[in-house]
Amino acid sequence: MQRNNNPYVFLSSDDTSMMNGKQHISMHPPITAGPKYTPLHRTSEAMRRHCMTTPPSNIFAGLDESLLARAEALAAIDVVSGSGVKHSPQLLRPDTGYPGMNGTAHSPATSVAGPGPHVSHPLPHHPHSFADSEASPFDQIPTTSLPLSMSMTDPNSPVVSSVSSMAPTHLPGMHPAPTGNMTGMSPHHLVPNPHHPMSMHDPNDTDPRELEAFAEHFKQRRIKLGVTQADVGQALGKLKLPGVGSLSQSTICRFESLTLSHNNMVALKPVLEAWLGEAEQQARAKQRSPDIFNNAEKKRKRTSIAAPEKRSLEAYFAVQPRPSSEKIAAIAEKLDLKKNVVRVWFCNQRQKQKRMKFSAQQGGR
DNA sequence: ATGCATGAGGT
DNA sequence: CCTCATGCATA
């Protein structure tokens, strides 16, 4: 795979176990869904915007042609240089780390944790570091006391079982997929959980190093247990934690590789911690008693942006990460891509830059 | 493991 | 139209 393409991530490659043979989770109520995520307030967006977008004055002023042309030219150079991966040093990541913003900008935080707390209030933003970040609500659920019930080894689950909690019943196996419901679905209707007694720590209080350590530990334990990332995601739905449904293999993978936003990591940690505890317990039980029972529409098409176009987009992005609608239209036309594709590409690119590993925190605070 | 996409919630 | 959390599809 091309992991080379992503400058921000270098994930491990030692896991072999991730291969999942099965990845079919079906729907999930986004756990975040609790009451949808409780977004805290995402207040600082504007601020962030200003900070970052105000570069040297008018570079963009005359953007249009010249800039685009320039960006393309740079992109072309890039090509020449050979490695497909690259980005010209100067081009990409204006500042690498985005000191300015970082992590998380604000947030919603969480959703995940359901029990919790959703939010509470908008914490003031912190002066520094995570610039704007958000406040998030809860922090850790006492994992020890969580009532969970999970079953990782599902003997025969033919298909996914879907999350029961609130999932709109779907059928296993097939997704109806029709009008758009499947992926995004919106099951959100969890109960709005008022306040919670818990202490919510601010995500800003969670040390990235701690998250990293947990993620690593989690991965190791998971592998030892012989559980795939997809299994974990599915098992989460069975843990009936309030507000927590299944998660996809992707998300578990991203958690392990720290490629989620700081807030997202903080939100997911307690949940995965809960699962791990349950899983370990089950494993021990099994050891004791050698068990008896064996354990027993239309598909979405992914658009693929060709390398040359991708290079151009990267070049544009380096110059202006947040192009206006008109600009996006112009770029789309030039590259012969759909406008929406270009728009989404920029959104995703921005998200990438905010991801953890390397970008977010300054090490550790 | 990652690219492109969706959708809720916000501005 | 953005940000975020997530996911399907895919290399």
Side-chain angles (χ1 to χ4, degrees):
Chain A
M1 331 176 143
Q2 57 250 42
R3 43 179 65 147
N4 31 0
N5 229 353
N6 187 339
Y8 318 95
V9 188
F10 325 22
L11 310 174
S12 53
S13 17
D14 52 346
D15 180 355
T16 42
S17 74
M18 50 192 158
M19 309 286 319
N20 9 280
K22 33 184 170 198
Q23 71 187 77
H24 30 252
I25 290 194
S26 17
M27 330 237 40
H28 39 218
I31 46 187
T32 51
K36 217 9 204 160
Y37 338 105
T38 11
L40 289 197
H41 310 312
R42 312 169 160 228
T43 58
S44 31
E45 204 173 326
M47 250 181 104
R48 167 170 93 287
R49 247 179 233 186
H50 293 199
C51 302
M52 56 186 296
T53 8
T54 333
S57 58
N58 50 12
I59 300 189
F60 312 136
L63 188 52
D64 304 72
E65 306 291 323
S66 54
L67 235 206
L68 297 184
R70 197 174 291 252
E72 280 188 352
L74 290 172
I77 291 177
D78 207 17
V79 177
V80 178
S81 33
S83 42
V85 191
K86 56 183 326 28
H87 7 322
S88 342
Q90 10 161 242
L91 278 191
L92 284 200
R93 296 175 279 165
D95 2 331
T96 7
Y98 280 82
M101 51 171 278
N102 0 296
T104 67
H106 355 253
S107 74
T110 38
S111 17
V112 173
H118 301 17
V119 166
S120 20
H121 11 300
L123 297 188
H125 338 22
H126 235 39
H128 45 282
S129 359
F130 289 30
D132 5 0
S133 54
E134 47 247 319
S136 136
F138 55 127
D139 176 85
Q140 18 204 95
I141 308 176
T143 52
T144 44
S145 55
L146 292 174
L148 330 145
S149 50
M150 58 174 293
S151 47
M152 23 197 279
T153 38
D154 230 297
N156 35 349
S157 44
V159 186
V160 169
S161 44
S162 68
V163 177
S164 35
S165 14
M166 33 201 212
T169 49
H170 278 20
L171 327 198
M174 32 186 322
H175 310 19
T179 35
N181 56 1
M182 62 183 296
T183 36
M185 43 201 259
S186 34
H188 350 288
H189 34 248
L190 269 208
V191 191
N193 191 340
H195 332 317
H196 220 64
M198 258 162 229
S199 54
M200 30 191 290
H201 291 169
D202 187 311
N204 274 355
D205 283 347
T206 304
D207 190 333
R209 288 168 304 185
E210 187 186 313
L211 287 172
E212 183 172 0
F214 175 73
E216 183 56 45
H217 174 248
F218 176 85
K219 182 177 175 178
Q220 305 238 266
R221 294 309 307 153
R222 176 183 62 76
I223 293 171
K224 289 271 190 190
L225 291 167
V227 182
T228 65
Q229 294 169 334
D231 288 335
V232 175
Q234 211 181 313
L236 290 177
K238 295 175 181 165
L239 283 185
K240 316 278 192 251
L241 298 184
V244 180
S246 304
L247 285 180
S248 67
Q249 171 263 328
S250 307
T251 301
I252 304 302
C253 172
R254 285 165 179 154
F255 178 86
E256 292 181 353
S257 57
L258 304 167
T259 46
L260 290 174
S261 66
H262 178 77
N263 272 349
N264 206 172
M265 290 291 297
V266 173
L268 255 26
K269 183 182 173 220
V271 176
L272 295 180
E273 216 162 36
W275 170 81
L276 184 59
E278 187 63 27
E280 305 253 34
Q281 197 182 302
Q282 253 181 54
R284 284 193 294 276
K286 202 170 205 176
Q287 217 174 327
R288 250 181 252 109
S289 58
D291 70 70
I292 308 157
F293 48 106
N294 77 354
N295 312 271
E297 317 139 46
K298 228 197 243 183
K299 280 179 159 189
R300 173 174 149 199
K301 219 30 184 182
R302 198 170 99 183
T303 323
S304 187
I305 299 173
E309 285 71 31
K310 192 121 66 189
R311 275 184 241 112
S312 293
L313 287 171
E314 284 167 355
Y316 292 134
F317 186 83
V319 178
Q320 174 53 275
R322 314 192 58 183
S324 65
S325 191
E326 290 70 42
K327 199 98 57 184
I328 288 177
I331 293 171
E333 193 178 359
K334 257 186 210 256
L335 301 182
D336 195 34
L337 291 172
K338 288 175 50 178
K339 187 185 171 186
N340 199 50
V341 168
V342 174
R343 185 185 60 77
V344 171
W345 186 87
F346 274 89
C347 286
N348 283 326
Q349 207 58 30
R350 276 179 233 127
Q351 245 188 322
K352 266 194 197 168
Q353 297 216 299
K354 289 185 182 172
R355 284 186 303 189
M356 262 206 105
K357 218 149 189 173
F358 316 126
S359 27
Q361 37 311 302
Q362 34 227 334
R365 24 236 228 60

